[in-house]
Structures are given as C-alpha cells and as structure tokens.
Amino acid sequence: MSGAAPTSAVTLELIAQDAAAVRVAASIGAARVELCQALALGGLTPSLGTIEAAVRAAGDAVGVHVLIRPRGGGFHYTADEFAVMESDVRAAVAAGAAGVVIGCLDEAGRFDLDGMRRLRDAAGPAGVAAHRAIDVSADPLQALDTLIELGLDRVLTSGAAPTALAGRDTLRAFVERAEGRIVVMAGGGVTAADAPGILASGVRDLHFSAKRTVAGDAGGVSMGSAGSGVGDYEVADAEIAREIAEAARAAATSASSPSTPGGAAR
C-alpha cells in the first residue's frame, strides 16, 4: 500500500476519558476510542470503573481500546511496572475492551521486544496497538519494522514530530514502509483545519481529542493552585469532534476524486 493511492474511507478514533466522550465518538461515527485518564500527562491507564462505564456506553457502536501506561514520563519500565501493565491488560480485556494500546522501550530507545510480547500475549484475542512511544524511539522507521514483526494491528504516531501535521513527511514514509502490514494512524494536535494536510500523507486513520477546557469548581472554596488537585480539566467537545470528522471525511473524499487537481487535498 502506498500513500500515493488513497481511498475515500477514513477511520476515526477519539480520545476518551469517560463514558460521555464515548457517546460523542458514537455520535460522529468514530470506529474506536482510546480510553485513558490524565490526558494532561499524555494519558494513563484508566480505572476499572471507567473501563466498565465506557464499554457500557459504547455498546456495539464503538470499539473501546484501553491505554496501558502506568505513569507519566518515558517508556522504559521496571519489572514492577511490567507486572502492573500485564495485570491491567488482562483486566481491561476481561471488562469488555476490544483492545489495548501499549508501548515500551529499552535503554537504547528501541521497542523492548520481550516486554511488548509479554503485553501482547496478555491481551489474548483482543486487538493490540502501539502508542506514540514510536515518536521518541531511536529510529522510528526501524521501530515500525519491529511492530510489524510483533504482529500489532496499528501504530499511533505524529510522524516523530510535535504534531501530526508537522510530521506528515514521516507519516508518508511510514505508510509506504508499512505496505499494508500494519495500520498507520496519525495523531497529535489534530484540528479540523489540519486534517486535509495530515491525510495528504496517505494515512487513513485519524486520532484526536476534540477537547475543550472546563473551569474547575471547588464548591466556592479557594484551594490554591492546580497542584492541590483542584483546577481546570478537559472534556471531549461534541461540536469540535463533529467539525474534525466532517473535515477529515471531506478531505479523504476529495483526495480520491479524479476531478481533484493533483489528486490529493493539500
């Protein structure tokens, strides 16, 4: 498969931190959600209660894929952290998750093959995807080959750049390298305005948060800084999600239309 021959289909994945976001995903026709908590930290493993609520909200409409990440920071983990992640994978699948999203690197910045296999195997028949650990790996193209060797379903990436739009050239290289052996899904700072440029790379899976900030409410009592645990928080916004979905679908359709000059949206 090559980025030079896009199709009109685009698959959407919304980042969800709660059941309400899952319902937003269903309303825009998203195929999946990546369920997490603490998105401000880059996303951490959600609680079992959050997983169960998300699965109930999803029904048969949306696949719930659970992020497995025990802490913020890098992706090189201790034996204790691997034990936690393995348990979290099994618990997520047992709670009804359609899949899990994993990523661990070794000391040299390559995917930790033994660790990835351990987490992959813990998922059993559920889907397994890799998160944006690839974007901070020592050699992203070589890391993509590792994920293909592991037999993972897809990889979330911004093209080793701060945003997917900035990384669109690397995304194109990923799509060409993948040759249909793994799904390359673009994510990182995705907006409705940026969707056409991102999809011009040849990716046909788009991952986004569509988030807005909600002012925190301490019940009228001043609690000081956000470090006290009270402050603003983020939720998925249905209108922002709808705008991104519409822009992505329009761009994908335009890219595949023979009447489009140059053949791809810019």
Side-chain angles (χ1 to χ4, degrees):
M1 183 176 67
S2 168
T7 67
S8 60
V10 60
T11 300
L12 305 177
E13 178 178 285
L14 183 69
I15 301 170
Q17 297 188 88
D18 52 29
V22 175
R23 289 188 284 270
V24 169
S27 74
I28 63 168
R32 298 182 298 266
V33 298
E34 181 188 80
L35 186 68
C36 66
Q37 65 181 20
L39 187 55
L41 298 178
L44 300 178
T45 307
S47 71
L48 181 58
T50 299
I51 297 170
E52 292 172 342
V55 168
R56 288 194 299 269
D60 296 328
V62 180
V64 176
H65 295 254
V66 176
L67 177 65
I68 304 299
R69 186 175 179 225
R71 57 160 171 79
F75 304 107
H76 180 54
Y77 296 110
T78 67
D80 287 342
E81 289 168 334
F82 268 110
V84 169
M85 289 191 290
E86 192 173 18
S87 293
D88 284 341
V89 168
R90 293 196 175 105
V93 174
V100 293
V101 186
I102 64 173
C104 50
L105 303 177
D106 62 20
E107 291 180 340
R110 299 167 300 204
F111 274 111
D112 180 339
L113 274 171
D114 289 340
M116 292 290 284
R117 288 190 184 107
R118 180 176 172 183
L119 299 179
R120 177 201 65 189
D121 294 347
V128 181
H131 57 54
R132 287 180 61 192
I134 191 172
D135 292 326
V136 296
S137 64
D139 184 340
L141 283 173
Q142 186 276 329
L144 183 69
D145 291 340
T146 299
L147 297 178
I148 292 169
E149 177 186 340
L150 287 165
L152 269 59
D153 300 320
R154 66 188 172 280
V155 55
L156 169 64
T157 173
S158 62
T163 67
L165 184 65
R168 59 191 180 278
D169 290 341
T170 300
L171 288 172
R172 183 177 292 107
F174 279 158
V175 171
E176 293 172 353
R177 183 85 157 231
E179 295 181 332
R181 296 173 293 170
I182 189 171
V183 172
V184 177
M185 178 169 60
V190 174
T191 66
D194 290 346
I198 296 168
L199 293 173
S201 69
V203 296
R204 282 298 172 269
D205 281 57
L206 201 60
H207 167 102
F208 53 94
S209 63
K211 63 188 178 184
R212 65 177 170 86
T213 300
V214 176
D217 180 5
V221 178
S222 175
M223 297 291 288
S225 69
S228 65
V230 177
D232 297 346
Y233 60 98
E234 295 170 337
V235 298
D237 184 275
E239 181 61 20
I240 296 173
R242 182 189 62 77
E243 290 173 355
I244 294 173
E246 290 180 352
R249 291 181 176 124
T253 300
S254 177
S256 65
S257 172
S259 62
T260 302
R266 289 295 191 270

